[in-house]
Amino acid sequence: MPARIRRPVDGVRLVVRLLALGLIAALGTLASATNLGAEFDLVRLVDAIPSPLLALITAVGGFGVLGVPLAYALRQLVRGRSRLLLEAVLTGLLAIAACWALIELLYLIDSSALDDALEFPRPTGSTRPLDDYLTALVAFGTVSRVGGEQLWRRLFSLAVGVYVLSEFTTGHATALSLLASVTLGAAVGVAVRYIAGSVNVEPDGAALAAALHARGVELVRLERRRSGHDQRDYLATTSDGTRLLLAVFDRDRIASGALYRVYRAIRVNAEVARGPVLSLERGAERRALLAMSAAANDVPVPRLVAGVPCGPDTIVLAYQHLDGTPLAQLTEPPSEARLAEVWTSVSRLHQARVTYRGLTPRRLLAGADGQILLPIPEDGAAFASDLRIAVDRAQLLVTTAQLAGASTAVRIARSVIGDAALNATAPVLQPVALDRETRAAMKKNGALIEQIRTEIVGQTSLEPPELSNLERVRPRTVITLVAAIVAGYLLIGQLGTVDLGTVLSGLRWRWLPVILLCSAATYLGAALALTGYVRERLSFARTVLTQVAAAFTGFVTPPAVGGVAVNIRYLQRAGLSTAAAATSVGTCQAVNAIMHIVLLVAVAAASGSSSDHALPIPGWAFVALAGAMLVAFSLLGVPFVRRWAADHLLPPIREAGPRLIGLFSDPVKLAQGLLGTLLLNGAYVAALWSATLAFGESVSFLSVAVVYLAGGAIGSLAPTPGGLGAVEAALSTGLTAVGMPGATAISAVLLFRLATFWIPVPFGWAALHLLQRRQAV
């Protein structure tokens, strides 16, 4: 066994303490008024304490924080733990250094709100922002594991508590600074313990054998098999020749994977993702309950022989050991009869409201006689709801399809659970509901789930219900929300520099219809461009309406994402296959991007030679471009990257190749697509130029074209809905660079965005609903 181990639970503790530090900083910065009010109240409360009592608290606090750590250090020396004591002392010194560094950082940041919270003025003078001795003391106690013994844990906590009270009553520190000092010390201590590892106190094989001997299980042989993140496994042989699998759970390992489980619990429905189990006893009890439930329902799983504690921090579960080969390693798939047996066994558990979870080809075993052996139940649930049972069936359905194909998997499931139950499984057939291992496999065969759904419809002749909403929140939603908040902040900052009353009084309203007309022309250009890359005949009016509907989806999604989805769906409804629709829309987007770059280079060159206000490209931009190309070519030299590119980039190109050749071989269609792209960009440039004229500014059309093309490129990279914030900042900065006053440039850009982004939104919503009613999208 290793002398030192890195405990996953320490990683969880470190993250929690760092989050607590961030919360304390946010409390001092954002809730400064509340914090100062609470500090005033506490100071008035302290003033009411009699002076003799204050003197007693100060004396006890000073003696306690010196006496208790020294007594504990002496005890550790007597017990021969000098190395652990040295580590604790060095950690205390490191905590002092971290405390001083944070104080210097606070002075550099110069945050008045946070300074007021940490350095509250008192009659005795300003308080210290952080207490370095308190930080070192907490770090010392964390590394020396003083919390492992109840008596010393209580003495240490009492000494720290009295010291904190004495420091506050004597006016040496604020409540927030003392809280921050304790949290910082704990964070430093846990960080050292996690990075350097802790002394391994897990029971060895002899201790495990002794614990099982007390339970009446005599071991004659014990062999370490593997050590997972959450448990240790041993192969054991008893005195009567029985082979056992020992699953050893240590308290310090039980939190393994907790952060990922917390992420899954936040992201998806609680019925789909099990939350983290941070209790050793609760985790062992759940596994024992699942094993006994399986045995009670005659499900052939490894039988639980014994469960015994081994010291205060370890529990051993002894299971019957079954030899077998993982199905994922078989050269030929199991027979339909064997797979049907698995479905029958799992269905018996479902009738008892028990789920299995994690039935993957790697965990299912094939015995010597060909029988499929179910693994030890670990991640399931008792008293399961209908949704959890459906998720369990979906996992087994995908696993069976991986082994025998979608058609066979659906046929086997129908024969065991029936059409109604199988159809009820379809709504949860989603990657997010599957095991982590299966989700990784789905990236290589993403069409498998769709094939299963198709087989369910074909074999049951039932209309599948709508997909269930299993996700609480999507990462894309969080990123979009954060980006929208940042964009709104930037936009509000821009508006704060503009006197709207003065600006609007000078607006030439006759230009507003022109801007709106140019905005409408952009949808004609987008429709023309799309039809140019589709060989099939499309209704031009309906195609224009689809582009208007895409304006609404662009309001709630990053640029191009919603529009691409709407256009692909529209082409599918128009009779194109999924591949053909994706190829056409992708070609349209790619050509538009290339044309955008070509137009930007051409117009920038023309603008630079004909205008006094050129937009020089800095030299570092060329250096960055050359560096990016060098990195890209270097990565292609790595075999792994080259294989990834071949697997992910070449297949779509090969699939789209014949269609692209057919599109570009038609001059009329090609001209139509290019004309649409030119109209699209030209209409946007004309709208922005008209907005500048509406405020009486005479900026050349070519300069405005450069500004729009550059700003549009920047906005397309922003993750905010419609490029909100990024487009406004880029366009207003560009117009200022070509000679417009800053306030007028911002006003012109806001007028342009009002006409091209905000006003079309309600029309896009109406168009989308109209197309949906007509089943056009």
Side-chain angles (χ1 to χ4, degrees):
M1 296 178 66
R4 302 182 72 88
I5 57 174
R6 182 176 294 134
R7 295 178 168 87
V9 69
D10 285 336
V12 177
R13 290 168 178 160
L14 177 59
V15 171
V16 171
R17 281 154 178 77
L18 292 178
L19 291 176
L21 278 175
L23 182 61
I24 292 171
L27 180 63
T29 303
L30 303 178
S32 56
T34 303
N35 181 68
L36 291 177
E39 191 73 23
F40 272 119
D41 293 338
L42 290 174
V43 169
R44 284 198 298 268
L45 182 62
V46 169
D47 291 340
I49 300 177
S51 299
L53 182 57
L54 288 177
L56 178 62
I57 292 175
T58 303
V60 172
F63 174 78
V65 294
L66 288 176
V68 173
L70 287 176
Y72 185 74
L74 181 62
R75 183 173 184 273
Q76 294 293 80
L77 286 174
V78 171
R79 297 178 66 182
R81 297 184 176 178
S82 56
R83 181 175 178 178
L84 179 61
L85 180 60
L86 178 61
E87 292 177 0
V89 172
L90 292 177
T91 303
L93 297 176
L94 178 62
I96 292 176
C99 185
W100 290 350
L102 272 182
I103 292 175
E104 292 299 324
L105 181 62
L106 289 174
Y107 291 149
L108 289 175
I109 295 175
D110 193 21
S111 173
S112 58
L114 190 57
D115 289 343
D116 291 341
L118 297 177
E119 297 182 274
F120 188 77
R122 302 285 286 274
T124 56
S126 295
T127 60
R128 292 173 292 178
L130 291 171
D131 190 312
D132 50 6
Y133 182 76
L134 179 60
T135 302
L137 183 63
V138 174
F140 170 86
T142 303
V143 172
S144 63
R145 303 189 71 84
V146 69
E149 301 175 70
Q150 185 176 15
L151 174 62
W152 287 100
R153 180 175 67 248
R154 291 178 177 177
L155 288 175
F156 194 85
S157 300
L158 180 62
V160 170
V162 175
Y163 176 78
V164 167
L165 182 60
S166 67
E167 288 296 285
F168 183 79
T169 56
T170 54
H172 293 158
T174 66
L176 195 67
S177 69
L178 290 169
L179 179 61
S181 301
V182 171
T183 308
L184 176 62
V188 172
V190 173
V192 170
R193 206 166 66 188
Y194 181 67
I195 295 173
S198 303
V199 177
N200 189 1
V201 293
E202 295 175 350
D204 56 11
L208 299 178
L212 287 170
H213 171 74
R215 179 68 171 75
V217 180
E218 296 287 345
L219 301 183
V220 296
R221 179 179 173 83
L222 191 62
E223 176 186 350
R224 181 73 170 268
R225 194 175 76 162
R226 67 180 178 86
S227 179
H229 291 294
D230 58 346
Q231 69 185 61
R232 293 179 285 147
D233 287 352
Y234 292 83
L235 286 178
T237 304
T238 64
S239 56
D240 61 359
T242 303
R243 300 192 69 191
L244 302 177
L245 173 66
L246 306 186
V248 183
F249 303 95
D250 300 294
R251 193 176 300 279
D252 290 324
R253 293 175 182 262
I254 199 65
S256 175
L259 293 179
Y260 176 75
R261 290 186 182 276
V262 168
Y263 160 75
R264 286 278 293 172
I266 293 174
R267 183 184 173 188
V268 300
N269 193 302
E271 299 291 315
V272 177
R274 179 173 60 87
V277 178
L278 301 180
S279 168
L280 172 66
E281 293 77 11
R282 182 174 297 179
E285 288 169 358
R286 182 176 56 79
R287 295 201 181 193
L289 174 62
L290 292 174
M292 289 186 289
S293 298
N297 289 278
D298 296 325
V299 176
V301 300
R303 182 173 57 88
L304 179 64
V305 176
V308 296
C310 185
D313 297 322
T314 300
I315 292 179
V316 184
L317 296 181
Y319 296 91
Q320 173 191 12
H321 176 65
L322 300 177
D323 288 317
T325 303
L327 299 188
Q329 299 178 9
L330 296 179
T331 56
E332 294 186 3
S335 65
E336 292 189 25
R338 294 301 188 187
L339 292 174
E341 291 174 3
V342 175
W343 270 98
T344 302
S345 298
V346 174
S347 295
R348 282 203 295 269
L349 277 181
H350 291 168
Q351 291 173 1
R353 290 288 166 180
V354 178
T355 58
Y356 219 111
R357 297 303 301 272
L359 288 174
T360 64
R362 185 180 58 86
R363 296 191 62 207
L364 290 168
L365 305 177
D369 58 353
Q371 181 183 7
I372 298 179
L373 309 175
L374 296 179
I376 296 172
E378 298 177 353
D379 297 324
F383 317 110
S385 63
D386 290 339
L387 179 57
R388 284 188 172 176
I389 292 175
V391 170
D392 211 28
R393 286 172 175 161
Q395 174 64 59
L396 183 55
L397 192 59
V398 173
T399 295
T400 311
Q402 288 177 303
L403 296 170
S407 177
T408 302
V410 172
R411 184 168 60 252
I412 294 173
R414 284 187 65 206
S415 65
V416 177
I417 64 176
D419 289 357
L422 181 59
N423 194 54
T425 304
V428 299
L429 267 173
Q430 306 173 43
V432 72
L434 303 177
D435 181 85
R436 193 174 187 177
E437 175 188 340
T438 307
R439 292 199 303 274
M442 289 298 97
K443 294 180 179 179
K444 300 180 180 178
N445 186 12
L448 182 60
I449 291 181
E450 190 60 36
Q451 293 171 3
I452 296 174
R453 290 201 191 102
T454 303
E455 287 293 335
I456 292 177
V457 174
Q459 294 188 29
T460 63
S461 300
L462 298 174
E463 186 67 26
E466 295 291 331
L467 293 178
S468 299
N469 185 14
L470 303 179
E471 294 181 278
R472 300 178 191 267
V473 61
R474 297 182 179 182
R476 181 187 301 171
T477 304
V478 175
I479 294 173
T480 301
L481 178 61
V482 172
I485 293 174
V486 174
Y489 176 79
L490 295 175
L491 188 57
I492 292 173
Q494 288 181 325
L495 291 174
T497 64
V498 179
D499 184 355
L500 291 179
T502 303
V503 167
L504 293 177
S505 63
L507 176 62
R508 300 176 181 179
W509 294 97
R510 65 179 179 272
W511 283 100
L512 186 58
V514 178
I515 300 173
L516 293 175
L517 185 62
C518 293
S519 176
T522 61
Y523 300 104
L524 297 176
L528 196 62
L530 180 62
T531 55
Y533 302 107
V534 178
R535 289 181 296 181
E536 292 77 4
R537 184 177 179 82
L538 299 175
S539 168
F540 187 73
R542 185 168 288 184
T543 306
V544 173
L545 200 61
T546 302
Q547 306 316 304
V548 178
F552 173 71
T553 60
F555 178 71
V556 294
T557 61
V561 174
V564 168
V566 169
N567 282 321
I568 290 178
R569 184 61 175 169
Y570 166 65
L571 294 180
Q572 288 176 325
R573 289 289 191 177
L576 277 73
S577 66
T578 301
T583 300
S584 299
V585 175
T587 303
C588 181
Q589 293 290 322
V591 174
N592 285 349
I594 295 172
M595 285 290 293
H596 197 103
I597 296 173
V598 172
L599 287 173
L600 176 59
V601 173
V603 177
S607 174
S609 62
S610 62
S611 175
D612 296 332
H613 300 284
L615 293 175
I617 301 177
W620 59 262
F622 295 101
V623 176
L625 179 61
M629 294 178 63
L630 178 62
V631 170
F633 283 117
S634 300
L635 288 176
L636 288 177
V638 179
F640 169 77
V641 177
R642 194 164 55 248
R643 287 194 301 270
W644 181 90
D647 293 341
H648 292 79
L649 300 181
L650 292 182
I653 294 176
R654 294 193 189 101
E655 182 180 358
R659 188 171 185 86
L660 291 175
I661 294 173
L663 289 174
F664 286 109
S665 63
D666 188 343
V668 176
K669 282 288 187 179
L670 181 59
Q672 185 179 351
L674 295 179
L675 180 61
T677 302
L678 290 174
L679 177 59
L680 175 66
N681 288 285
Y684 274 123
V685 173
L688 182 58
W689 185 57
S690 299
T692 63
L693 294 176
F695 289 96
E697 295 295 331
S698 57
V699 183
S700 70
F701 185 85
L702 288 178
S703 297
V704 173
V706 174
V707 171
Y708 165 74
L709 292 170
I714 294 173
S716 65
L717 299 176
T720 57
L724 185 64
V727 172
E728 288 82 0
L731 295 181
S732 58
T733 302
L735 290 178
T736 303
V738 296
M740 285 186 65
T744 309
I746 294 174
S747 303
V749 169
L750 293 180
L751 179 60
F752 165 76
R753 290 288 278 171
L754 178 67
T756 59
F757 179 69
W758 294 103
I759 291 179
V761 167
F763 296 99
W765 177 84
L768 182 62
H769 281 264
L770 178 61
L771 291 170
Q772 287 176 336
R773 283 199 302 269
R774 295 183 177 179
Q775 297 185 345
V777 294

